[in-house]
Amino acid sequence: MPDPTVEISAGGIVFRLTDSGPRVLLIRDRYGNWGFPKGHVETDEPLEAAAVREIAEETTLTDVNLYRPLGVIDWLFQSEGRSIHKFCHYFLCESHSDAASPQKNEGILECAWLTPEDSLDRATFDNARDILRAALRQVEQIVRSRSGQTVV
């Protein structure tokens, strides 16, 4: 069997702060999986730009502030008889808007702003929950720093 084709994607774990605490944006794809906006990096496109573009394309959110890289998750899958090894670079992003709208032409069926606990419960894949936990630790630090609490 030939070596898998490598594909590079970028995406974001988008949060927003509300009076009742942080919310995390999850999307549901055409296969019923819950995860985060992501997609292919175009030729010569910086990873950060790809993440912001994909968030906008899949959710219509355009007011996204990108903070920092969260890590890379990878997985193997089959598509059209080919073996693909995908590497997705995730970034922590903040939106001040809750106006996410699923873009069905991008294969997105639903957008949901969830509490951290509910987002961990709803995320379909273990690797998505792992990167979400890293994001939530960063969000906690942001919340503490904005409230004037000491961040350790």
Side-chain angles (χ1 to χ4, degrees):
M1 177 172 241
D3 288 338
T5 301
V6 172
E7 290 186 0
I8 306 297
S9 291
I13 297 183
V14 183
F15 75 95
R16 67 184 177 88
L17 299 180
T18 71
D19 291 340
S20 56
R23 296 293 181 265
V24 177
L25 178 65
L26 264 68
I27 60 170
R28 185 169 60 90
D29 66 22
R30 71 181 108 223
Y31 307 105
N33 298 315
W34 285 94
F36 311 105
K38 67 184 179 314
H40 295 285
V41 175
E42 303 294 334
T43 304
D44 297 327
E45 183 180 31
L47 293 171
E48 297 85 352
V52 171
R53 177 181 52 76
E54 287 293 339
I55 291 165
E57 286 178 2
E58 294 186 353
T59 70
T60 71
L61 286 176
T62 57
D63 73 333
V64 173
N65 296 322
L66 186 137
Y67 281 102
R68 61 186 63 101
L70 290 167
V72 179
I73 61 175
D74 70 295
W75 63 97
L76 290 165
F77 65 97
Q78 298 290 317
S79 177
E80 299 172 3
R82 298 181 311 138
S83 180
I84 299 172
H85 192 175
K86 182 171 285 245
F87 293 85
C88 188
H89 298 257
Y90 278 101
F91 296 86
L92 181 63
C93 301
E94 182 177 16
S95 176
H96 297 287
S97 171
D98 65 351
S101 177
Q103 297 305 292
K104 292 183 174 52
N105 63 325
E106 293 286 328
I108 308 307
L109 302 179
E110 192 173 350
C111 294
W113 289 103
L114 302 171
T115 65
E117 298 79 18
D118 289 344
S119 63
L120 284 165
D121 287 343
R122 190 160 313 173
T124 301
F125 299 107
D126 289 340
N127 57 5
R129 282 189 291 278
D130 291 342
I131 203 91
L132 176 56
R133 284 184 191 93
L136 292 173
R137 287 190 293 273
Q138 300 283 332
V139 170
E140 285 177 21
Q141 291 180 347
I142 291 167
V143 168
R144 278 188 252 140
S145 70
R146 289 187 186 169
S147 68
Q149 296 178 13
T150 306
V151 178
V152 211

